[in-house]
Amino acid sequence: MGIQYNEKSRVFKLDTPKSSYMIGIVDEENFIGHIYFGKKIADSDMRYLMRLPEQLPSERPRDRVSFLDTIPMEYSTHGVGDFRETCLRVRTNSGHSACSLSYVSHVIYKGKPTLPGLPSTFGKEEDCTTLELICEDAVLKLRAVLVYTVFEHLDAITRSVKVINDSEDTIYLTKVLSACLDLDNKDYDLITLYGLWSKERMINRRRITDGKQRISSLRGVSSHQEQPFMAIMEHDANEDRGEVYGMNLVYSGNFMAQAEITQLTQLRAVIGINPEDFTWKLESSCEFVAPEAVLVYSAEGIGEMTRTYHDLYRNHLIRGEYKDKKRPILINNWEATYFNFNTDKLLDIAKEAARLGIEMLVMDDGWFGKREDDNSGLGDWFVNESKLKGGLSYLVNEVNKLGLKFGIWFEPEMVSPDSDLYREHPDWAIHVPGRTGALGRNQLVLDISRKEVRDEIYSRMYQILSGSNIEYVKWDMNRSLTDIGSVSLDADTQGELYHRFVLGLYDLQDRMITDFPHILLENCSSGGGRFDPGMLYYSPQIWTSDNTDAIDRLKIQEGTMMIYPLSAMGAHVAVCPSHSNGRITPFETRGYVALAGTFGYELDVTRLPEEERNLIPEQVAMYHKYNDLVRTGDYYRIASYQNNQEYDCYEVVSKDKKEALVTFIQVQCRPNYRARRIYAKGLLDDCLYRLEETGEVYSGGALMYAGINIDNMWGDYLGKLLHIMAVK
Ligand code: DGJ
């Protein structure tokens, strides 16, 4: 396992448990070619895959244009002959954009470097091996370091790129993508996750055809609309079979991901920061680091890719005290009260919640400045004592006395035009001088690329967080970036603002989790508008969607779980009729659906019908019984409501395969009363398992290959859990 270099053939071989990745140096001009990425193979020299002889018409020197336009590349550059999507483009002081990289040297070492200012996966020396390929454009004196890390126990390879200006002149980078993957001659499908507010991460699977199929964000956040993720797979691959390549960017701002079928039916896939509206002024001796891309290979379908991402993110991305811990069951007052609350109301909710076994009260938007609705107050992070009589400490102490933890909401990146902060510092908002900036949810975006802005916002947050026993923060972000302009940047650096904004965000979150390591941070962006691996580096959980209807959530959570671990997925039981769509679903079903995630409540427990309130202690017990399994186990998709429009079914199996939990949600009752057959996954063929509900005992083989009948239930939106335990 690990990384080997064959000096004779000039081939690098990166091995994970079940995959191999090969890179070759082309003798002429030392271009870095891509040889292979796929199922593990023993060979170490397969240079023929680069098709180099095909590029040399006899008795003529090689024609570099057709050569560079067809050779599989590791990191293609702009303007010198590769007309496919390239990864690196510059603008020199003389206005030229061409660049070209050739291999210079390499280092291989144990462990994995961090990326300055950026989130990334981490690993100890015993977990992973890193290759740094150093290459340069000798004309520009521009150095690029391509960094690859392989994990010993996971079929994942991470890639990032560092660009260093060794020249005396300033060089502008106008495009620095993070990874390129050239594959050959197969019939591929593409999965991306699209959506909108309240309907995030819908699965879109389509054939990759000629030309470029691109997804991207230019909203300043990774967005509700697209995920910084794509999976490329054999056309007949499914959940359990076939080759799948996942590419996910550890980044929370503008991105692009693109799959392209080229003239010779090769496939080029790239992912990285969106080059649109991006320029980085790289002064002499300075470096720019592009975010990390995580490549996952599975020869066993989408499900195996998913489980690799889950393991990687649970063990090598998510950090902090809650990384491996059960999260407190919270009750959030947003859907209960919206802005209309005070200390008494919150304490009423807390008292009833405590009686029912809930463990934390989260006070959402509206506790600060002048904020009775979303028209004012953002930026004024001072307690509104007319709402919270006796101040925050009083409220927190009272809540603590009831045995509950206390959590609080912030939206640190924003400012309301109607706020003292904005009146004092109108230039702190991102804006274009002379142009009236667009409002989104009646608010403007703070220019957190500026340190003085971050310092002031953070010191206000610090006062609040250090003044009372706050054990959870919900960090919200409710609008996209527009009118891009910063008064602190010059004409030739305005193109850095989108990225600097993201770096500023990471800096702020880093300060907070460093100063308050015991605080459980949950990120949020109008629901799931910034659910990405970058944010997971700072917060072990993210609010999945503002849509809390259990049935809509099935689809949203299926798309989310395709990449992100269940432990990270904020999911709550909410009131009915649903505030999202008016639908009425049984309280039990709402509990089963929320059980897949972090679990909590988003309702006014004091006004809940008695029958529903009485079910809460049972749900609390259900969470405590199953959360260890759900949080740490292997996730298998059994049936998809997105596909069949009738029912949803998924399973979590413990790592030792001794326990499994199947969640079955019948969205529609079957007209013919017949049971549905489902097939368990991930069990041991010969092990005997007991179904807790009926006491029946069957082998894992029987449960997986013969299947389980789930009786039709009378009514729509009903659910059940099947707890499967190995017989001792
Ligand atoms: C959007 C979030 O997604 C909601 O949960 C809530 O916190 C509101 N913002 C508050 O303004």
Side-chain angles (χ1 to χ4, degrees):
M1 227 111 50
I3 302 177
Q4 261 100 47
Y5 178 53
N6 181 335
E7 254 184 83
K8 208 161 132 255
S9 59
R10 307 185 80 200
V11 168
F12 295 91
K13 182 154 186 262
L14 287 61
D15 282 321
T16 72
K18 294 193 215 153
S19 75
S20 297
Y21 188 110
M22 257 186 251
I23 301 165
I25 311 296
V26 179
D27 291 338
E28 288 168 73
E29 301 192 74
N30 286 332
F31 292 129
I32 303 179
H34 175 75
I35 299 180
Y36 175 75
F37 185 26
K39 203 167 183 151
K40 191 159 193 171
I41 46 178
D43 315 61
S44 62
D45 178 7
M46 308 188 63
R47 289 174 66 86
Y48 70 90
L49 290 171
M50 285 195 285
R51 301 167 175 267
L52 296 177
E54 298 169 24
Q55 316 295 335
L56 290 170
S58 54
E59 291 162 29
R60 276 180 41 203
R62 194 184 62 208
D63 169 352
R64 207 211 260 167
V65 169
S66 63
F67 170 71
L68 277 184
D69 202 20
T70 52
I71 174 190
M73 297 287 279
E74 273 304 314
Y75 195 70
S76 162
T77 57
H78 174 84
V80 287
D82 188 347
F83 295 98
R84 299 163 291 182
E85 191 74 34
T86 55
C87 296
L88 184 68
R89 189 179 58 206
V90 300
R91 195 181 67 238
T92 63
N93 281 333
S94 7
H96 300 127
S97 60
C99 55
S100 176
L101 293 173
S102 296
Y103 168 84
V104 176
S105 62
H106 70 269
V107 281
I108 296 173
Y109 53 90
K110 288 271 165 209
K112 184 172 191 299
T114 55
L115 305 184
L118 284 168
S120 60
T121 55
F122 52 82
K124 299 203 190 83
E125 290 196 355
E126 59 270 28
D127 298 326
C128 45
T129 311
T130 297
L131 162 69
E132 293 193 6
L133 279 179
I134 297 121
C135 35
E136 68 164 5
D137 181 317
V139 176
L140 295 174
K141 297 203 173 51
L142 189 70
R143 197 164 16 122
V145 183
L146 313 183
V147 186
Y148 300 76
T149 298
V150 293
F151 285 83
E152 294 290 315
H153 304 294
L154 289 164
D155 292 304
I157 299 178
T158 61
R159 291 185 56 173
S160 63
V161 179
K162 189 161 60 176
V163 185
I164 304 130
N165 183 356
D166 293 325
S167 78
E168 300 287 302
D169 300 323
T170 294
I171 298 175
Y172 294 87
L173 305 174
T174 58
K175 186 183 194 184
V176 191
L177 299 187
S178 297
C180 171
L181 181 61
D182 280 352
L183 301 171
D184 214 326
N185 267 0
K186 273 191 188 159
D187 186 11
Y188 288 113
D189 275 12
L190 176 70
I191 285 186
T192 60
L193 302 172
Y194 73 99
L196 66 157
W197 173 75
S198 253
K199 196 179 175 193
E200 297 90 342
R201 291 170 291 286
M202 298 292 109
I203 298 170
N204 180 351
R205 180 169 179 165
R206 57 209 183 265
R207 227 174 180 127
I208 307 181
T209 58
D210 295 337
K212 298 176 171 179
Q213 282 120 88
R214 176 184 292 203
I215 53 157
S216 65
S217 166
L218 200 58
R219 293 168 186 269
V221 287
S222 46
S223 89
H224 299 87
Q225 285 72 15
E226 298 287 357
Q227 253 300 301
F229 163 79
M230 63 184 176
I232 291 154
M233 67 204 69
E234 291 177 306
H235 177 60
D236 54 4
N238 63 20
E239 199 55 32
D240 307 304
R241 279 185 300 280
E243 284 198 299
V244 183
Y245 300 86
M247 295 175 92
N248 196 191
L249 192 67
V250 187
Y251 191 61
S252 312
N254 294 345
F255 73 91
M256 70 163 276
Q258 181 178 286
E260 168 186 11
I261 298 282
T262 69
Q263 53 181 342
L264 300 179
T265 54
Q266 294 161 314
L267 180 132
R268 168 161 292 178
V270 295
I271 194 162
I273 292 182
N274 193 339
E276 202 170 329
D277 276 353
F278 169 85
T279 313
W280 196 269
K281 181 180 182 181
L282 198 64
E283 303 201 61
S284 175
S285 308
C286 291
E287 68 173 39
F288 176 83
V289 180
E292 178 168 288
V294 180
L295 276 53
V296 164
Y297 172 78
S298 159
E300 290 153 64
I302 301 162
E304 183 77 7
M305 173 200 73
T306 294
R307 288 183 288 281
T308 302
Y309 274 120
H310 287 189
D311 283 342
L312 182 73
Y313 291 167
R314 279 187 298 210
N315 299 319
H316 300 280
L317 179 68
I318 291 170
R319 304 173 293 166
E321 284 181 15
Y322 280 96
K323 176 174 183 281
D324 300 314
K325 268 213 257 170
K326 199 195 266 183
R327 318 287 157 76
I329 300 178
L330 68 82
I331 184 159
N332 177 303
N333 74 308
W334 179 240
E335 288 194 21
T337 65
Y338 295 101
F339 295 99
N340 185 17
F341 62 87
N342 57 24
T343 301
D344 291 344
K345 179 69 212 171
L346 293 177
L347 287 178
D348 282 350
I349 292 178
K351 268 178 217 142
E352 191 56 14
R355 192 180 70 80
L356 298 166
I358 294 170
E359 298 159 323
M360 178 160 72
L361 175 78
V362 175
M363 176 173 67
D364 210 281
D365 192 355
W367 57 266
F368 51 89
K370 179 180 125 238
R371 185 132 168 116
E372 301 307 328
D373 49 37
D374 58 19
N375 284 307
S376 58
L378 292 172
D380 296 342
W381 301 111
F382 308 107
V383 176
N384 178 341
E385 300 220 4
S386 59
K387 263 184 177 174
L388 301 187
K389 293 251 165 11
L392 185 58
S393 301
Y394 170 74
L395 172 64
V396 177
N397 287 341
E398 291 303 302
V399 169
N400 286 167
K401 276 192 221 156
L402 293 166
L404 260 62
K405 296 178 191 296
F406 185 87
I408 198 168
W409 179 98
F410 282 100
E411 195 177 358
E413 299 149 77
M414 295 293 151
V415 64
S416 305
D418 183 3
S419 67
D420 292 339
L421 182 71
Y422 187 72
R423 281 182 281 274
E424 274 167 51
H425 298 287
D427 66 315
W428 280 16
I430 287 180
H431 70 287
V432 177
R435 182 178 289 281
T436 306
L439 292 178
R441 205 194 188 202
N442 309 310
Q443 62 203 48
L444 295 167
V445 183
L446 280 174
D447 184 0
I448 55 166
S449 72
R450 293 166 64 181
K451 184 166 178 305
E452 68 274 29
V453 177
R454 295 202 297 278
D455 287 349
E456 177 59 29
I457 291 300
Y458 185 65
S459 86
R460 293 179 181 199
M461 292 177 74
Y462 187 92
Q463 291 302 317
I464 298 288
L465 296 177
S466 54
S468 319
N469 184 26
I470 292 173
E471 298 183 76
Y472 164 104
V473 165
K474 179 176 175 185
W475 184 304
D476 206 348
M477 197 291 189
N478 284 304
R479 63 157 288 182
S480 308
L481 276 58
T482 59
D483 305 283
I484 286 298
S486 168
V487 297
S488 71
L489 296 173
D490 299 324
D492 64 347
T493 50
Q494 290 292 346
E496 300 180 5
L497 183 53
Y498 274 120
H499 184 55
R500 286 190 181 277
F501 178 87
V502 178
L503 296 178
L505 164 69
Y506 292 151
D507 173 57
L508 274 174
Q509 296 215 341
D510 204 53
R511 292 190 204 189
M512 203 196 95
I513 60 172
T514 308
D515 289 342
F516 302 98
H518 70 284
I519 285 184
L520 170 59
L521 176 60
E522 176 156 357
N523 267 295
C524 169
S525 177
S526 298
R530 202 162 57 184
F531 203 127
D532 57 60
M535 299 321 290
L536 279 184
Y537 186 66
Y538 302 94
S539 67
Q541 59 193 57
I542 303 178
W543 184 227
T544 308
S545 176
D546 275 346
N547 191 331
T548 48
D549 166 59
I551 302 306
D552 281 359
R553 270 288 182 128
L554 293 174
K555 295 182 181 177
I556 296 168
Q557 294 187 178
E558 181 185 355
T560 306
M561 292 188 276
M562 183 180 278
I563 329 171
Y564 303 112
L566 284 61
S567 62
M569 194 169 67
H572 298 165
V573 174
V575 78
C576 277
S578 163
H579 290 198
S580 306
N581 56 17
R583 185 182 273 138
I584 296 173
T585 51
F587 202 72
E588 291 89 334
T589 304
R590 286 176 254 162
Y592 298 146
V593 175
L595 187 67
T598 54
F599 199 78
Y601 292 87
E602 189 93 12
L603 42 73
D604 185 348
V605 74
T606 65
R607 294 201 320 210
L608 205 59
E610 201 60 31
E611 324 79 80
E612 294 192 344
R613 208 184 305 187
N614 291 339
L615 291 171
I616 292 182
E618 278 173 42
Q619 286 186 338
V620 166
M622 171 180 79
Y623 168 78
H624 288 301
K625 178 171 177 187
Y626 294 123
N627 183 257
D628 283 346
L629 171 61
V630 170
R631 223 180 52 249
T632 63
D634 287 330
Y635 160 82
Y636 291 86
R637 173 61 46 181
I638 295 179
S640 161
Y641 165 51
Q642 283 208 38
N643 287 340
N644 64 34
Q645 303 297 316
E646 279 191 20
Y647 68 103
D648 210 46
C649 188
Y650 48 87
E651 180 193 21
V652 183
V653 181
S654 62
K655 288 282 176 193
D656 66 4
K657 299 190 177 290
K658 294 286 170 66
E659 186 184 7
L661 182 71
V662 174
T663 304
F664 180 92
I665 306 291
Q666 172 179 295
V667 179
Q668 271 183 24
C669 177
R670 268 196 144 173
N672 61 14
Y673 302 103
R674 307 272 292 181
R676 287 184 174 92
R677 174 89 38 96
I678 58 130
Y679 299 87
K681 295 183 179 179
L683 304 176
L684 297 169
D685 280 13
D686 298 330
C687 179
L688 289 177
Y689 294 90
R690 175 170 288 111
L691 302 177
E692 186 182 306
E693 202 192 9
T694 60
E696 291 163 286
V697 174
Y698 298 103
S699 69
L703 297 172
M704 292 191 291
Y705 314 130
I708 306 165
N709 290 338
I710 307 277
D711 287 340
N712 188 41
M713 294 172 269
W714 180 243
D716 292 344
Y717 312 140
L718 298 169
K720 67 158 60 179
L721 300 178
L722 259 79
H723 190 207
I724 301 172
M725 290 289 284
V727 178
K728 299 257 167 23

